[in-house]
């Protein structure tokens, strides 16, 4: 672009923040722990016998035991190669439910 | 009754999630609150299900520690 200028992140800003592509074992274990905790909350609400739309939608979500590792630790991303990116790259991923992918990208 | 405990903070979450936590009567972490089984409360719980711990109890305990 500008002659000998290499458009690296460092050249632009000066500081580089790196993030690994995959989560390590501890992070994945914590993801599983959080998924199980959310499953418990949904089960408790279902057990109470209350009926509401949010509950019907929540019961359609796969449980942690039914999810493939690919669904547990990665999410759909239209801009990445393979259309998948690590779950840890989603903002607030520890407090957001992202269990399913769009239809056609589930395998 | 639902026995609801706030385990994770709503800081950084959308306004509606924070409103749900406030509407449940939770102002601090690890605070426990009791609500009857209604669809309104159930909807609030499910909105912020990632932050809470929920149990079903038969009766609400009086302030006996």
């Amino acid at each position: 672009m500008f002659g000998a200028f290499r458009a690296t992140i460092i050249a632009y800003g000066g500081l580089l923040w790196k993030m690994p592509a995959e989560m390590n074992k501890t992070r994945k274990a914590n993801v599983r722990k959080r998924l199980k905790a959310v499953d418990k909350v949904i089960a408790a609400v279902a057990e109470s016998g209350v009926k509401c739309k949010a509950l019907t939608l929540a019961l359609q979500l796969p449980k942690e035991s039914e999810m493939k590792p690919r669904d547990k630790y990665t999410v759909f991303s239209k801009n990445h190669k393979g259309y998948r990116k690590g779950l840890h790259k989603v903002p607030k991923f520890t407090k957001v439910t992202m269990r399913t992918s769009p239809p056609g990208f589930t395998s | 009754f639902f026995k609801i405990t706030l385990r994770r903070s709503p800081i950084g979450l959308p306004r509606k999630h924070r409103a749900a936590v406030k509407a449940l009567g939770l102002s601090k972490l690890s605070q426990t609150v009791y609500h009857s089984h209604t669809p309104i409360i159930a909807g609030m719980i499910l909105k912020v299900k990632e932050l809470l711990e929920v149990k079903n109890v038969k009766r609400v305990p009086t302030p006996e520690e």
Side-chain angles (χ1 to χ4, degrees):
Chain A
M1 204 167 53
F2 295 118
F5 180 68
R6 262 185 301 170
T8 62
I9 304 173
I10 303 170
Y12 273 128
L15 283 178
L16 175 68
W17 291 339
K18 289 209 242 189
M19 199 193 274
E22 284 177 8
M23 291 193 267
N24 65 27
K25 289 196 224 297
T26 328
R27 275 179 120 173
K28 289 182 181 175
N30 286 331
V31 166
R32 293 193 297 272
K33 190 165 118 184
R34 285 190 289 265
L35 286 172
K36 284 181 196 148
V38 173
D39 286 341
K40 266 194 189 168
V41 170
I42 298 176
V45 176
E47 194 192 84
S48 75
V50 176
K51 299 232 164 36
C52 63
K53 186 174 172 191
L55 183 59
T56 27
L57 293 173
L59 289 170
Q60 284 165 8
L61 291 173
K63 294 214 183 85
E64 189 266 339
S65 47
E66 298 162 357
M67 288 170 78
K68 293 194 200 139
R70 203 171 101 108
D71 293 326
K72 281 190 241 184
Y73 314 126
T74 62
V75 296
F76 173 77
S77 158
K78 60 179 178 168
N79 295 320
H80 282 68
K81 186 171 166 181
Y83 298 103
R84 285 255 141 188
K85 73 174 179 185
L87 176 65
H88 61 299
K89 302 197 177 219
V90 172
K92 313 286 184 290
F93 75 99
T94 54
K95 298 183 188 173
V96 168
T97 296
M98 298 193 75
R99 298 200 185 198
T100 50
S101 309
F105 293 95
T106 47
S107 62
Chain B
F1 288 94
F2 287 124
K3 179 182 174 191
I4 307 165
T5 311
L6 186 63
R7 289 288 174 213
R8 331 256 336 269
S9 171
I11 295 176
L13 292 184
R15 250 181 288 159
K16 290 196 177 173
H17 290 57
R18 306 185 68 155
V21 170
K22 188 172 182 183
L24 286 168
L26 296 162
S27 56
K28 283 193 172 103
L29 285 183
S30 304
Q31 188 178 5
T32 311
V33 112
Y34 293 87
H35 282 292
S36 43
H37 288 318
T38 62
I40 297 175
I41 298 292
M44 281 192 239
I45 292 174
L46 290 169
K47 185 133 186 109
V48 289
K49 56 189 178 312
E50 299 83 9
L51 312 180
L52 307 175
E53 188 186 307
V54 177
K55 270 194 215 155
N56 287 309
V57 295
K58 288 270 158 51
R59 44 170 275 276
V60 181
T62 59
E64 26 171 289
E65 258 18 83

